[in-house]
Amino acid sequence: MRVCSILLVLAVGISQGTAQSTCPLGTAGPFAGMAVGPVALTYAKKFTLEIVNAFSATVTVAGKQITLAACNGPASPSAIVVPVASVSVQQTAVVGFLERLGKLSSVSSIDKQYATSDCALNLPTTAASNAAVTFGSASGNLDVAAAILSESSPLAMAEWVLFFDAFYAGTGNGKTVFDGIVSQYQCLAGKVQKYRESNEAKYGTDPVVVISASDFKANSIIAPTNIPFWTTVFTDAGGVPLIAQDASTFASMAHNADVVFDATFEGATEYNIKLWSAIHGGLTPTSRGYPFLNGFQSQIWRFDERAANGYDDFYQSSPAQPDLLLADLIQIFDSDFNTAYNPFWLRNLANSATYTQSKGSNCAGRTTFSQYFDGKLCPSRDYVPNVGRLEKPASLPSSSNTGGSTGSSNNGSNVSSGSLTAGVIGGIAGGVAAGLIVVCLAVWCIGKRRAKAGLDERDRGSFAWVSDAAANRRFVRIGEENDVGLGRVDAEEGTANYLTARRSG
């Protein structure tokens, strides 16, 4: 039975090591304050947590159950003793949760490609050691990282903080941490929803975002992984997300895109605008016919933040930080939303922005990840987007997107055809009126200059030359004649004779 239990632990990417020699818990069971039975999870679908009694709990990943036993309770040889004294991190998406719980000091070893945040850079970057628990995928079966990254929304990923806190017997206050994450996230998403409810009938739909990824080896455009996740977070952030599956769908969607977002997992590849352009058919920030391309104000975004070791932090830390993720995205659409907040992972490829560098020195004075950001993410200011056309394109490509986790889904369908038609007609009428005014001013100026040069009689008015030209049934082409600094007619048949006679007379 013991052998089977240990193999079961290894199968989910968590290896059992040596137990701790001392127990930091008191006499009360760490799970005593929780009801016996399954813990109700609000968002996460890929794990379960069940309280057995005051001293024991189980976590289940993809149907594989792991028993956790408190160090101050009855001995259970087949269980992992909690709180664990040390852990080894050998896979992605884990370290952010330990940092959010304030448990980085328990990390005895971490592979350097996963040590990418400011504070994680100070950890010993070695292979797996004889830690109490190793988070990794050495077994090649069900690993924790794959389960986390397959959750369909940011808050579903973040709820895994309860999973990790169970390994620390609740001493990381996972429930409180998660409640704080949800509060910040919903505050931000709520401001977007408030804008939608109060302004959309007046201004039109939200900015249109085309989301895609790149295959560096094939030099091609592909769909991003976990499409439901991206459509949810972009909807909550204030966008209308469209997913490009390949070069063809990207090309059709790009003509309606206010923003383009690249969700490529780049690894250690240097991703810049030159590489992006080569993959995307030679498009550059100065290409015409694309709303998202406008020189240095072009909108080609991605997430990364690069550590000095050459690896990116986004996939290591973001699953545990959806509040920061949403705050970053909102800054794309409303750059004035929070002037006290500097985007964390966000980078604009279009203006050749350099990578934000994570540095171990930035960790000084911080004991938990959230300590640095709490209270800074959701300002009192209202959300008002300042990027995009803020109106529905005449033809928006279809996309199989899903709505946001806050119920704030918007795919542009809530804009009435009447308001859209009125807006289009008003725009056309305004353009025609402006054009007529410009033409009249040009005709008037040419007439004044002709009279001043002696080509027309001054008392005949500045528009008389037009009727004269029309009477001779010739369409005139404005040009420049010798030393006469005026717009005049190229001499041609009757019109030329008329002008010559006027000039010589």
Side-chain angles (χ1 to χ4, degrees):
M1 185 62 142
R2 176 180 173 82
V3 173
C4 292
S5 298
I6 293 176
L7 288 175
L8 186 59
V9 168
L10 288 172
V12 294
I14 307 173
S15 62
Q16 185 175 7
T18 57
Q20 56 193 33
S21 57
T22 61
C23 182
L25 302 177
T27 57
F31 307 112
M34 305 175 72
V36 173
V39 175
L41 301 176
T42 307
Y43 305 95
K45 305 297 182 184
K46 305 299 183 180
F47 83 94
T48 63
L49 170 62
E50 184 171 352
I51 306 303
V52 178
N53 55 51
F55 297 94
S56 180
T58 62
V59 289
T60 303
V61 180
K64 308 299 182 180
Q65 190 178 82
I66 306 158
T67 300
L68 307 174
C71 59
N72 62 343
S76 179
S78 63
I80 294 177
V81 178
V82 296
V84 292
S86 61
V87 299
S88 178
V89 178
Q90 303 298 317
Q91 63 177 181
T92 194
V94 171
V95 70
F97 290 98
L98 305 184
E99 190 166 355
R100 196 99 199 203
L101 291 169
K103 297 296 183 180
L104 279 186
S105 60
S106 69
V107 179
S108 60
S109 64
I110 183 171
D111 189 285
K112 69 176 184 178
Q113 63 182 307
Y114 311 123
T116 52
S117 70
D118 292 338
C119 293
L121 285 170
N122 297 325
L123 298 173
T125 53
T126 60
S129 63
N130 192 27
V133 172
T134 295
F135 295 99
S137 56
S139 65
N141 293 319
L142 299 173
D143 66 86
V144 175
I148 294 170
L149 295 176
S150 65
E151 294 282 7
S152 62
S153 74
L155 290 180
M157 288 186 186
E159 199 164 16
W160 276 74
V161 74
L162 303 180
F163 171 91
F164 288 99
D165 194 36
F167 287 85
Y168 294 96
T171 59
N173 299 311
K175 180 64 166 59
T176 301
V177 170
F178 183 63
D179 287 346
I181 292 172
V182 172
S183 176
Q184 291 280 340
Y185 190 98
Q186 291 184 340
C187 179
L188 292 167
K191 287 183 176 290
V192 172
Q193 182 64 12
K194 179 182 177 182
Y195 166 79
R196 286 179 171 140
E197 293 173 350
S198 60
N199 295 297
E200 204 151 82
K202 178 179 179 181
Y203 294 112
T205 69
D206 304 316
V208 176
V209 188
V210 173
I211 307 167
S212 65
S214 298
D215 183 335
F216 294 146
K217 292 183 179 179
N219 199 43
S220 63
I221 300 172
I222 58 176
T225 58
N226 199 344
I227 291 174
F229 170 85
W230 289 111
T231 56
T232 295
V233 71
F234 268 101
T235 299
D236 289 345
V240 178
L242 301 176
I243 302 298
Q245 303 283 344
D246 49 30
S248 176
T249 54
F250 178 87
S252 65
M253 293 175 176
H255 288 287
N256 287 315
D258 299 303
V259 174
V260 162
F261 185 86
D262 189 287
T264 306
F265 179 71
E266 64 178 313
T269 302
E270 182 77 17
Y271 201 10
N272 52 35
I273 188 61
K274 182 178 180 180
L275 178 56
W276 183 91
S277 178
I279 294 173
H280 291 77
L283 289 178
T284 69
T286 57
S287 297
R288 297 183 177 182
Y290 300 88
F292 72 97
L293 295 176
N294 185 24
F296 284 106
Q297 296 182 8
S298 297
Q299 307 289 326
I300 308 173
W301 297 90
R302 63 168 285 102
F303 283 135
D304 36 50
E305 187 185 44
R306 178 150 294 190
N309 60 19
Y311 294 97
D312 289 341
D313 181 61
F314 175 71
Y315 281 97
Q316 309 311 321
S317 296
S318 65
Q321 331 293 350
D323 41 359
L324 293 183
L325 177 63
L326 190 60
D328 270 19
L329 290 180
I330 287 177
Q331 290 296 121
I332 295 178
F333 305 130
D334 182 3
S335 57
D336 299 323
F337 177 67
N338 190 348
T339 57
Y341 176 75
N342 291 320
F344 197 68
W345 296 291
L346 203 59
R347 181 167 65 101
N348 191 346
L349 292 176
N351 55 24
S352 301
T354 57
Y355 287 93
T356 299
Q357 294 290 324
S358 51
K359 301 177 182 178
S361 58
N362 292 339
C363 186
R366 257 166 52 200
T367 57
T368 66
F369 189 90
S370 58
Q371 182 181 24
Y372 184 76
F373 297 99
D374 281 350
K376 297 182 179 180
L377 298 185
C378 193
S380 59
R381 182 187 181 276
D382 288 338
Y383 165 82
V384 180
N386 54 21
V387 165
R389 294 154 295 171
L390 305 182
E391 63 181 49
K392 184 177 180 179
S395 177
L396 192 64
S398 61
S399 177
S400 57
N401 300 330
T402 59
S405 62
T406 62
S408 56
S409 174
N410 180 343
N411 61 7
S413 60
N414 60 332
V415 180
S416 67
S417 58
S419 63
L420 177 61
T421 302
V424 172
I425 293 174
I428 294 174
V432 171
L436 289 174
I437 293 173
V438 171
V439 170
C440 290
L441 285 174
V443 171
W444 181 82
C445 289
I446 292 172
K448 296 291 286 185
R449 296 173 68 186
R450 289 174 59 82
K452 185 177 180 180
L455 294 179
D456 294 329
E457 297 176 5
R458 294 180 181 272
D459 58 351
R460 297 189 69 242
S462 300
F463 294 91
W465 69 276
V466 177
S467 60
D468 290 339
N472 285 274
R473 298 182 180 181
R474 292 285 184 265
F475 179 77
V476 297
R477 178 168 60 89
I478 306 304
E480 188 82 10
E481 183 183 74
N482 299 330
D483 61 338
V484 180
L486 52 91
R488 68 154 292 159
V489 181
D490 280 346
E492 185 178 11
E493 296 185 11
T495 303
N497 295 334
Y498 173 80
L499 291 175
T500 302
R502 298 280 301 176
R503 193 171 190 182
S504 61

